[in-house]
């Protein structure tokens, strides 16, 4: 029978997957051949998508690859005052709405991603915008105007099945190949369950602790309430860029100083986004063997600096 595997996590954009796709896939099944690959990062952040597509196409040269472009009704429409429902903090279907600047931005993102998908021999699917704004509301949950409704999920599923069927004629499972990951990646994350047994060493004022992620789900991070250290091991005989995954939310988190060998960088988790969102940043390089990462908060904070993963991305070396 057909099998579907979901390799994803909320609160993360394409950046994390682009650095760690080998780790994420190999945790599921190292030699699995995927016939269809479906991606969606329009709402969580598509930065890094180009690298992710490149790596997926290198590994699965024959797979049918589809990008789903979604939008949020609560940010794409404006009411009589010119504000979005999210800005008004009110979801009133009796008001007169029209498509706003958010819809234009969504279209620009769609066009940008379409070029990437074309380059990597993939296909685009977009959740429809209807000419009459309120007709699109049926596709969304009436509580938050952001998540899809049952009707919205049904519409996407039916459209995707039709798209896959139309592209399957040129696909041969018997001839499909599994390629290589190139220089690959080595990623450690405790974001979903707080566990990474024996894979991570840390010291100082650092501890793994739960916090409330997007939509109220429990997530986990290595929290730094003062200076601390992480030790990672590069098990490959290559120089690998080191990326830290960390949480951001408005100005809730402190700026931190990251020191690796003789290199020092400062990370600023400040954003204009009011919800928890993971970000990835290059902080240094790992030679083969053990590398120490010193982390020191430098400003005051409402929330302690939260590291959710350490990613050694050999495939990122030439990017």
């Amino acid at each position: 029978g057909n099998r579907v595997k979901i390799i994803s996590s909320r609160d993360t954009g394409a950046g994390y997957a682009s650095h760690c796709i080998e780790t994420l896939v190999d945790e599921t099944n190292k030699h699995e051949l995927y016939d269809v690959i479906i991606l969606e990062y329009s709402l969580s952040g598509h930065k890094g998508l180009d690298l992710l597509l490149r790596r997926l196409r290198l590994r699965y040269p024959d797979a049918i690859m589809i990008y789903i472009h979604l939008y949020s009704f609560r940010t794409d429409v404006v009411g009589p005052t010119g504000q979005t429902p999210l800005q008004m903090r009110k979801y009133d279907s009796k008001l007169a709405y029209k498509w706003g600047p958010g819809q234009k931005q969504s279209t620009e993102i769609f066009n940008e991603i379409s070029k990437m998908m074309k380059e990597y021999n993939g296909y685009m699917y977009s959740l429809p915008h209807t000419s009459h704004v309120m007709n699109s509301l049926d596709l969304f949950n009436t509580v938050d105007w952001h998540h899809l409704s049952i009707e919205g999920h049904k519409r996407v599923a039916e459209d995707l099945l039709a798209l896959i069927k139309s592209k399957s004629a040129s696909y041969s499972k018997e001839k499909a190949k599994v390629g290589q990951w190139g220089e690959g990646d080595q990623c450690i994350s405790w974001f979903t369950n707080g566990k990474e047994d024996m894979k991570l060493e840390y010291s100082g004022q650092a501890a793994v602790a739960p916090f409330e992620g997007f939509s109220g789900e429990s997530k986990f991070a290595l929290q730094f309430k003062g200076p601390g250290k992480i030790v990672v091991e590069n098990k490959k005989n290559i120089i690998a860029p080191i990326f830290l995954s960390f949480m951001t939310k408005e100005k809730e988190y402190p700026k931190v100083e990251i020191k690796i060998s003789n290199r020092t960088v400062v990370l600023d988790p400040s954003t204009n986004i009011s919800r928890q969102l993971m970000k990835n940043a290059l902080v240094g390089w790992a030679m083969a063997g053990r590398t120490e990462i010193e982390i020191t908060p430098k400003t005051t904070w409402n929330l302690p600096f939260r590291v959710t993963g350490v990613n050694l991305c050999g495939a990122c070396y030439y990017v």
Side-chain angles (χ1 to χ4, degrees), residues 4 30 44 64 106 139 158 162 168 187 192 202 229 236 241 254 271 281 285 288 297-298:
V4 176
K30 192 169 186 176
S44 58
I64 298 171
S106 177
L139 300 173
E158 290 176 346
S168 296
C187 297
T192 55
Y202 58 89
K229 183 186 299 182
K236 298 185 178 182
T271 70
W285 303 81
K298 303 300 289 185

Side-chain angles (χ1 to χ4, degrees), residues 25 32 34 37 56-63 177-179 181:
V25 170
E32 184 91 52
Y34 293 95
I37 300 172
L56 285 170
R57 190 49 86 199
L58 181 67
R59 179 68 170 178
Y60 306 107
D62 304 299
K177 300 179 291 293
V178 176
W181 287 116

Side-chain angles (χ1 to χ4, degrees), residues 35-52:
D35 303 311
V36 179
I37 300 172
I38 298 174
L39 307 100
E40 188 282 305
Y41 291 105
S42 296
L43 298 178
S44 58
H46 67 287
K47 184 178 180 180
L49 180 61
D50 183 79
L51 174 61
L52 176 57

Side-chain angles (χ1 to χ4, degrees), residues 100-116:
Q103 195 267 339
K104 180 181 178 182
Q105 183 180 16
S106 177
T107 300
E108 291 172 350
I109 292 173
F110 174 85
N111 292 336
E112 179 184 350
I113 295 174
S114 293
K115 293 179 182 178
M116 297 184 200

Side-chain angles (χ1 to χ4, degrees), residues 87-146:
Q87 291 170 329
M88 292 187 288
R89 299 189 182 278
K90 181 170 63 174
Y91 306 109
D92 186 354
S93 60
K94 295 179 181 179
L95 294 178
Y97 294 97
K98 62 181 180 180
W99 296 114
Q103 195 267 339
K104 180 181 178 182
Q105 183 180 16
S106 177
T107 300
E108 291 172 350
I109 292 173
F110 174 85
N111 292 336
E112 179 184 350
I113 295 174
S114 293
K115 293 179 182 178
M116 297 184 200
M117 293 303 291
K118 184 176 181 180
E119 180 180 354
Y120 295 104
N121 195 27
Y123 307 99
M124 289 293 294
Y125 168 77
S126 180
L127 186 68
H129 285 85
T130 60
S131 55
H132 189 280
V133 174
M134 296 309 292
N135 287 343
S136 291
L137 184 57
D138 293 339
L139 300 173
F140 294 90
N141 186 306
T142 55
V143 176
D144 63 11
W145 291 11
H146 178 73

Side-chain angles (χ1 to χ4, degrees), residues 280-297:
N280 303 279
L282 176 66
V283 294
W285 303 81
M287 308 295 287
R290 291 161 59 87
T291 298
E292 293 186 354
I293 305 171
E294 298 179 35
I295 300 177
T296 306

Side-chain angles (χ1 to χ4, degrees), residues 163-200:
L163 179 57
I164 292 169
K165 185 177 180 180
S166 71
K167 304 303 178 184
S168 296
S170 59
Y171 174 78
S172 172
K173 188 176 182 70
E174 290 71 27
K175 296 181 180 180
K177 300 179 291 293
V178 176
Q180 303 298 320
W181 287 116
E183 298 295 347
D185 59 60
Q186 306 163 76
C187 297
I188 304 170
S189 175
W190 45 95
F191 183 59
T192 55
N193 57 21
K195 298 178 181 179
E196 269 298 341
D197 300 333
M198 304 305 292
K199 292 183 179 180
L200 180 73

